[in-house]
Amino acid sequence: GIEQGLLGLAFHPTDPQRFFVYYSDATNDTHLDEFRVAGDAVEFVRELLAVEQPTDRHNGGMLTFDPDGYLWVGLGEGGAARANAQDPATFLGSMLRLDVDGADPYGVPPNPFVDEGGAPEVWAIGLRNPWRFTIDPVDRLVYIGDVGHSNWEEIDVVSIDGPGANFGWLPMEGTHCYLSGCDPDLYDLPVLEYDHSQGCSVTGGVVYRGPAIPELDGVYVYGDWCMGWVRSFRFVDGEVTDAGGWFEALGRVGQVASFGTDPIGELLIATWEGPVYRVVPQR
């Protein structure tokens, strides 16, 4: 399937021999497993999660560690199970935060839904498909590219030290009511959205912190899978600034599937067609 297979991989922040993989199995369900590099071999260590998926769409799959050493996992609402996104008792449509060193198979950090009647692993709810997200360790913000449905694509930004969040899907799409009578004041609204005249599937990106292009320090870079463009903005004091123009000269780079950084923080762009690009300064 177009949204299945190997969906996420993250190395342990202090033990690079350990890594965690989020993937689909042959029955469409998703798994989070730990592996270890042992000499020239890779060994399976344990399964942390197995999540039953209602369809082969909206599986999410991004993995990353935050500055506190917790593993974050993004899961979509499963396509046909939209109501799950507003249910903190399910993993679907949620961001999870796990302590992979705290217990076997994992411990639970002080997540906000522990005392709210939800699953203790859940950090945020109300997501449709957080295909790619990133955590900026400098500002301790999580940036989530949540793929839209009918009309709107959105970027959500919240503090990882906050009380958790409800990003609004299914009642809302972006800053707009998807269900009649919804109350926007109940939800954490996106900091940026764009309509489907500009693109149709946001690919969340990364915050640039590399040394080669100091002008971009702190700039968040993201793309659109359908239109193939790359854009950026800064998030300063709760507001989007400096939106747009840094990457216009790139034109269409291809169907942007993911972003990353190299070991020193320089920007990488992966495309569905196959090439992985590195962004370099042109003075």
Side-chain angles (χ1 to χ4, degrees), residues 2 18 43 65 78-79 83 89 97 107 116 129 135 141 164 199 203 207 238 244 262 266:
I2 198 170
R18 299 171 62 191
E43 298 177 347
F65 281 90
R97 184 172 66 167
E116 299 289 334
N129 191 21
I135 294 174
L141 296 174
T203 299
V207 177
D262 69 12
E266 297 306 325

Side-chain angles (χ1 to χ4, degrees), residues 19-181:
F19 63 97
F20 299 82
V21 176
Y22 183 97
Y23 65 93
S24 308
D25 67 20
T27 65
N28 298 331
D29 296 334
T30 49
H31 300 262
L32 175 64
D33 291 352
E34 180 180 352
F35 294 84
R36 174 176 287 277
V37 178
D40 295 330
V42 172
E43 298 177 347
F44 172 81
V45 176
R46 57 181 171 168
E47 181 172 84
L48 284 77
L49 294 174
V51 181
E52 184 177 350
Q53 295 283 356
T55 73
D56 60 355
R57 308 302 292 268
H58 306 176
N59 290 174
M62 178 72 190
L63 302 178
T64 194
F65 281 90
D66 70 13
D68 303 316
Y70 297 137
L71 178 64
W72 289 58
V73 188
L75 284 88
E77 33 79 308
R82 298 173 179 176
N84 285 325
Q86 287 297 311
D87 182 0
T90 178
F91 291 166
L92 297 177
S94 302
M95 299 287 291
L96 310 182
R97 184 172 66 167
L98 311 176
D99 182 356
V100 299
D101 300 314
D104 187 9
Y106 55 81
V108 176
N111 287 336
F113 288 94
V114 170
D115 299 322
E116 299 289 334
E121 296 90 340
V122 172
W123 187 87
I125 64 172
L127 292 161
R128 183 174 182 269
N129 191 21
W131 166 246
R132 289 294 176 260
F133 66 91
T134 192
I135 294 174
D136 177 28
V138 176
D139 292 332
R140 295 181 66 86
L141 296 174
V142 55
Y143 292 70
I144 305 167
D146 194 19
V147 179
H149 178 52
S150 297
N151 298 301
W152 298 96
E153 305 299 306
E154 69 179 70
I155 304 288
D156 301 294
V157 183
V158 292
S159 170
I160 65 172
D161 300 312
N166 183 341
F167 296 112
W169 179 254
L170 171 73
M172 301 197 67
E173 184 184 24
T175 62
H176 311 267
C177 283
Y178 182 78
L179 300 179
S180 61

Side-chain angles (χ1 to χ4, degrees), residues 220-231:
Y220 174 72
V221 186
Y222 65 102
D224 186 82
W225 191 84
C226 300
M227 298 301 288
W229 47 251
V230 176
R231 294 177 180 174

